Amino acid sequence: MIGADLLDRRLLVVSGKGGVGKTTVSAALARAAARTGRAVLLAEVEGRGGISRLLGAPPPGFEEPRTRLGFAVTSITPREALVEYLRLFFGMRTLSRTLARAKVLETATEGIPGFRDLMTAGKLYELTEWRRVPANADGRRRYDLVVVDAPPTGQLVSMLKAPGAFLDILRMGRPHRQLESIDRMVRRHAGIVLVAIPEEMSVAESLDTAEALRAEGMACHAVVANRVLPSAFPKGTRAAALRLEPKALAAILGEAGVEATEEDGAALLEAARAQDGRARAQRDHLAALAGAGPVTELPFLFTPTFGPPEVDALARELVP
Amino acid sequence: MTLGLAGRRIVVVCGSGGVGKTTVSAAIATTLARKGARTVVMAVDPAKRLATSLGLPHEPGERSTVDAGGGATLEALLLDTKRTFDELVERHAGSPERRDHILENRFYQRIAATLSGTYEYMAMERLYELATSEDWEAIVIDTPPTRSALSFLDAPRRMTDFLGGKMFRWLAWPSRAAGRAGMRGASMGARVLSRTVGRIAGTDLLTDTAEFLAAFDGMYEGFKQRAADVYALLSEEETGFVVVTAPERASLDEAGHFVERLTSSKMHLAGVVVNRWVRAPAIAAPSETIEELAGGSAEHRATAACLEVAERMRAIEARGRAAVEPFGAAYPEIPLTVVPELPLDVHDREGLDMVAGHLFGRAVETPEAREAR
């Protein structure tokens, strides 16, 4: 179960090493918050369709369609964020349309260091803070919580730092004040969630990231340990399982009416012992992971498919 | 199917993050070294335990000699992005003044560290150097962990687009044009953009950029030529790409994009490795039988536990199969090499040898061992 106040924040930034299940955990957090009656948006940043693949829904684009898990989804791209920004704050309706078609915009967002991150942060500010002001709302949906499926940990700190970094460059005027607000939102109000799997590399990267966040005056508010294995051998069976010979196991199976060779017995024992070893190694990694922040464990789901029902099951683990 | 690397001197290992690229590249490198090739591997971010146990370097820029087993050794190095970029500037600067001017420029210092694609591009640059100015028979490159495997291939284009591209010139244009009257000659797009940038950012942003651009002028052609050479090297027959993927849809989709991109770029795919494949034991029992066993003696309960583990693995195997099948159907001609999930994280030579055994089908003998036999 996650900390009670985590879902009270307006913005949760979810990151982790590649391949640990960031998108799944982001969706589970969004689902958990939606179940409490909150209006929730799950935003994918520079995503490659992970959310739509997971939920079996069409790619959301820059729109904010609702999903059958009770939250809305969107996909933030720096290009569209920039066009929207120019339109909203500078009334550059025609210009933004012209720019949207120009290749130059692509090069700008690709080329200027930190620019993509800045545009993303700006869009998050629009979603979580700016549109909450009634005068700005203009029919936009208000959300109690925005959950961001953020880039991997390697890029997390630079993404969070981008608004502050541009403060040095844009030293005055309206953009400067906006940057200050965005920087404040990211640094003070966002909840940062690191997703890890209980393996060496992922744990090491989580610890490094938590440290890097601290060094920048930020914090990791929650760690979600994903894919935690159950113990292979329930209480009182482990010693017997380690003792058991393939032949004896095959005999027990035979008595129970399941025809099995000695090789079958060996394969079963090998598989179960390997999983026992993995589960035990995970306990050590989980202990180390606590150094990054308060850990919530999510079980490995042994299901032949992985989609909305599994997201819902994980959401119920996060908030029963 | 095993991985075929015949005729490849350069092996580029790529794939989306977290799929085990480092392990696969280390296993390939040790195998090639044991076959007798003078081998170098460029690691990017090896796990500490693996690095310590193999004797891989810990700091960027460092090199070390690694025991590949069976009396063979190989050289390992860690990429130092900033230094590689600095060296690139030095090579093309032409004069010490220009070199210093660029290296000291604030804008350069920022892009050298943060420009998207810098890391990937510098990995390629380093590869080019290893391939052309050092005498290696086998070069194995582990690619940086990127959101998308494709960004590795796009890096040179993005770098040269940025450094030589119109965008860059436009950005610098207002400060260069300052003092000059009128905007004649500037295209509509340039005018719009410079006005926008000026209005939003002020000219502050542009000063450093313009200075950098001025210093970079004239260097660009050499830089671009170099990028073209690197790209050409990647397209040669002697360079083979190994795409590593997890048995998951997201990862396989990514692998599919990469494979298509390689084909359209006329680069050579050496194979696709499906890593950490879960294979369940063949034996299965009805759930009533498992329940019955779970109520028996310690041995019976242990047997029930083993059967339950097998059931769980069967579900995951089915999930993996469902993810791999569409890939196999879409690319029937591409050989898939399956590496099963190993009992524990690969963190030493023994683990690497197991991975290598699955990649290449058998334990690889060293020439010495073969002679002794």
Side-chain angles (χ1 to χ4, degrees):
Chain A
M1 191 178 163
I2 51 165
D5 53 348
L6 193 69
L7 299 183
D8 290 336
R9 292 176 181 270
R10 278 192 209 153
L11 176 63
L12 289 180
V13 178
V14 184
S15 183
K17 183 174 154 50
V20 298
K22 261 183 314 101
T23 303
T24 303
V25 173
S26 304
L29 279 165
R31 170 63 177 161
R35 283 184 64 229
T36 65
R38 289 174 171 86
V40 183
L41 176 72
L42 172 60
E44 184 173 53
V45 170
E46 295 179 41
R48 289 161 294 149
I51 290 177
S52 61
R53 195 183 290 116
L54 177 65
L55 301 180
F62 214 59
E63 308 292 308
E64 296 160 25
R66 260 176 87 97
T67 65
R68 58 187 167 123
L69 286 176
F71 52 83
V73 289
T74 192
S75 178
I76 298 178
T77 60
R79 183 192 176 98
E80 277 166 315
L82 175 59
V83 168
E84 185 186 60
Y85 175 77
L86 293 174
R87 191 167 48 77
L88 282 180
F89 294 100
F90 293 90
M92 298 175 175
R93 213 166 268 279
T94 326
L95 171 71
S96 64
R97 264 206 299 275
T98 313
L99 275 178
R101 283 197 301 269
K103 186 177 179 289
V104 60
L105 206 59
E106 212 90 280
T107 322
T109 45
E110 284 289 332
I112 302 175
F115 197 71
R116 300 177 75 91
D117 295 333
L118 178 66
M119 287 302 114
T120 303
K123 176 62 185 174
L124 292 176
Y125 179 75
E126 188 274 319
L127 287 169
T128 54
E129 307 283 338
W130 194 78
R131 66 165 70 175
R132 293 177 76 91
V133 178
N136 298 339
D138 192 24
R140 289 184 188 79
R141 194 123 59 102
R142 280 181 51 160
Y143 297 105
D144 300 312
L145 173 69
V146 176
V147 180
V148 187
D149 180 6
T153 35
Q155 288 132 10
L156 176 68
V157 175
S158 56
M159 177 183 131
L160 297 173
K161 273 170 63 182
F166 277 84
L167 274 173
D168 294 341
I169 299 172
L170 302 168
R171 282 171 214 147
M172 53 192 195
R174 188 171 182 184
H176 183 85
R177 290 193 302 276
Q178 287 169 337
L179 279 173
E180 281 180 330
S181 308
I182 297 172
D183 187 47
R184 204 177 311 120
M185 166 198 75
V186 169
R187 286 176 172 276
R188 297 213 198 129
H189 302 307
I192 296 169
V193 181
L194 295 180
V195 183
I197 47 176
E199 288 179 7
E200 186 201 354
M201 282 299 271
S202 174
V203 170
E205 196 164 314
S206 304
L207 293 172
D208 287 350
T209 308
E211 185 54 45
L213 286 167
R214 274 192 285 271
E216 292 295 332
M218 295 180 276
C220 164
H221 300 95
V223 178
V224 176
N226 195 22
R227 296 191 203 144
V228 176
L229 291 168
S231 106
F233 302 124
K235 244 190 160 66
T237 63
R238 188 161 184 272
L242 298 183
R243 222 175 28 232
L244 210 53
E245 296 288 336
K247 212 170 176 174
L249 189 132
I252 293 175
L253 284 171
E255 283 164 32
V258 179
E259 217 171 295
T261 63
E262 193 175 332
E263 286 76 52
D264 288 331
L268 265 182
L269 280 171
E270 194 190 331
R273 286 172 187 163
Q275 201 175 103
D276 176 61
R278 270 194 287 267
R280 291 164 73 87
Q282 280 198 350
R283 297 322 305 177
D284 295 339
H285 291 309
L286 282 168
L289 189 57
V295 179
T296 305
E297 295 181 16
L298 287 180
F300 194 116
L301 296 183
F302 294 94
T303 50
T305 56
F306 203 99
E310 284 70 31
V311 170
D312 185 56
L314 293 178
R316 286 164 201 269
E317 295 281 340
L318 290 170
V319 180
Chain B
M1 194 140 188
T2 59
L3 198 56
L5 295 176
R8 312 287 186 200
R9 185 169 73 105
I10 299 167
V11 180
V12 183
V13 180
C14 30
S16 49
V19 294
K21 283 191 295 280
T22 305
T23 311
V24 169
S25 45
I28 291 174
T30 47
T31 304
L32 297 177
R34 281 159 80 162
K35 280 184 171 169
R38 258 195 319 283
T39 305
V40 61
V41 60
M42 187 167 79
V44 173
D45 183 24
K48 278 205 184 69
R49 261 171 90 199
L50 181 68
T52 306
S53 126
L54 293 181
L56 298 174
H58 283 275
E59 293 296 320
E62 278 181 7
R63 278 177 176 233
S64 64
T65 303
V66 175
D67 174 19
T73 59
L74 62 102
E75 187 108 334
L77 60 93
L78 274 188
L79 177 69
D80 183 340
T81 317
K82 179 67 165 58
R83 203 166 82 192
T84 308
F85 209 148
D86 287 354
E87 285 167 6
L88 198 62
V89 168
E90 267 171 48
R91 187 171 314 115
H92 296 290
S95 74
E97 291 75 35
R98 185 191 268 165
R99 180 197 63 203
D100 293 345
H101 202 61
I102 293 178
L103 295 184
E104 283 159 19
N105 182 278
R106 275 201 306 175
F107 187 81
Y108 168 74
Q109 288 170 357
R110 270 198 67 166
I111 68 164
T114 62
L115 177 58
S116 56
T118 310
Y119 207 103
E120 291 89 336
Y121 183 54
M122 290 308 137
M124 285 203 204
E125 173 62 28
R126 201 75 190 79
L127 161 66
Y128 186 80
E129 251 172 71
L130 288 171
T132 54
S133 50
E134 292 184 33
D135 184 25
W136 298 107
E137 291 164 336
I139 303 172
V140 182
I141 304 287
D142 177 16
T143 55
T146 50
R147 224 161 302 173
S148 148
L150 282 176
S151 61
F152 184 71
L153 283 184
D154 287 334
R157 183 191 54 75
R158 229 187 289 146
M159 284 290 283
T160 44
D161 263 15
F162 176 63
L163 292 174
K166 292 192 184 101
M167 157 72 204
F168 204 58
R169 273 149 219 284
W170 282 350
L171 256 189
W173 183 81
S175 49
R176 286 173 141 194
R180 247 187 277 159
M183 289 181 129
R184 247 175 305 126
S187 71
M188 170 66 190
R191 235 174 305 163
V192 166
L193 186 80
S194 68
R195 210 188 307 141
T196 312
V197 171
R199 191 156 155 200
I200 296 174
T203 45
D204 279 357
L205 170 71
L206 304 173
T207 316
D208 283 339
T209 317
E211 264 183 35
F212 173 74
L213 187 82
F216 203 81
D217 240 6
M219 234 179 91
Y220 174 68
E221 281 310 315
F223 212 87
K224 192 174 159 190
Q225 184 53 47
R226 180 75 167 189
D229 293 344
V230 172
Y231 213 78
L233 176 71
L234 292 177
S235 317
E236 270 169 37
E237 199 76 48
E238 64 167 356
T239 305
F241 287 81
V242 172
V243 179
V244 186
T245 170
E248 290 163 13
R249 270 158 63 203
S251 180
L252 278 149
D253 282 356
E254 192 67 31
H257 290 313
F258 197 80
V259 163
E260 276 171 20
R261 178 59 198 283
L262 283 178
T263 314
S264 67
S265 311
K266 306 231 179 324
M267 293 180 183
H268 308 281
L269 178 72
V272 172
V273 175
V274 183
N275 199 18
R276 303 180 83 172
W277 177 265
V278 173
R279 191 173 283 133
I283 202 86
S287 52
E288 309 84 68
T289 310
I290 299 180
E291 259 169 57
E292 207 175 294
L293 286 167
S297 70
E299 276 72 21
H300 284 79
R301 279 182 286 140
T303 304
C306 291
L307 287 167
E308 265 171 12
V309 167
E311 284 314 309
R312 291 185 210 133
M313 289 173 72
R314 223 177 306 286
I316 301 309
E317 184 177 347
R319 206 196 281 174
R321 215 173 283 289
V324 170
E325 260 162 22
F327 186 91
Y331 311 100
E333 74 290 356
I334 291 176
L336 292 179
T337 304
V338 173
V339 176
E341 167 138 76
L342 299 178
L344 288 172
D345 291 359
V346 176
H347 58 78
D348 54 13
R349 268 279 320 291
E350 201 186 329
L352 276 189
D353 287 351
M354 285 171 78
V355 174
H358 290 288
L359 287 174
F360 298 100
R362 64 199 144 75
V364 178
E365 279 183 311
T366 60
E368 289 80 14
R370 210 178 306 139
E371 257 164 52
R373 196 175 47 138

